């Protein structure tokens, strides 16, 4: 899953690929917001991203698009 995190006063959003399902991601985010403190997510390569919850502007969760490569021939 692709996760985009908008951070207040940051010119660019954070983008990472997560191994978690959309439900697990939503649960993790909701729990972090509820508890306050820091949102911690891990990407597919094992890198961790930590963002203070009070600085999060938005979070977007989207399915990773598989891009097909090739040509089509119309008859």
């Amino acid at each position: 899953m692709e996760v985009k995190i908008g951070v207040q006063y940051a010119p660019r959003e954070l983008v990472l690929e997560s191994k978690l399902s959309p439900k697990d991601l939503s649960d993790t985010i909701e729990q972090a917001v509820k508890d306050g403190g820091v949102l911690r997510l891990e990407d597919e390569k094992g890198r961790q991203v930590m963002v203070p919850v009070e600085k999060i502007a938005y979070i977007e969760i989207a399915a990773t698009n598989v891009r097909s490569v090739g040509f089509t021939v119309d008859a």
Side-chain angles (χ1 to χ4, degrees):
M1 300 303 308
E2 181 180 75
V3 182
K4 294 181 182 180
I5 304 171
V7 181
Q8 295 176 5
Y9 310 115
R12 294 175 37 190
E13 61 194 9
L14 300 172
V15 180
L16 65 113
E17 294 290 329
S18 176
K19 295 182 279 186
L20 297 176
S21 70
K23 171 83 170 102
D24 291 339
L25 277 170
S26 293
D27 291 345
T28 300
I29 293 164
E30 287 178 23
Q31 189 64 43
V33 170
K34 181 179 154 187
D35 295 343
V38 176
L39 170 64
R40 289 184 174 98
L41 295 176
E42 186 174 310
D43 72 4
E44 290 181 335
K45 296 179 182 179
R47 295 178 291 203
Q48 289 193 7
V49 174
M50 294 178 254
V51 181
V53 173
E54 66 271 2
K55 298 297 182 186
I56 296 173
Y58 65 90
I59 299 176
E60 179 182 321
I61 300 171
T64 304
N65 293 336
V66 178
R67 297 180 184 169
S68 60
V69 177
F71 299 94
T72 59
V73 177
D74 294 328

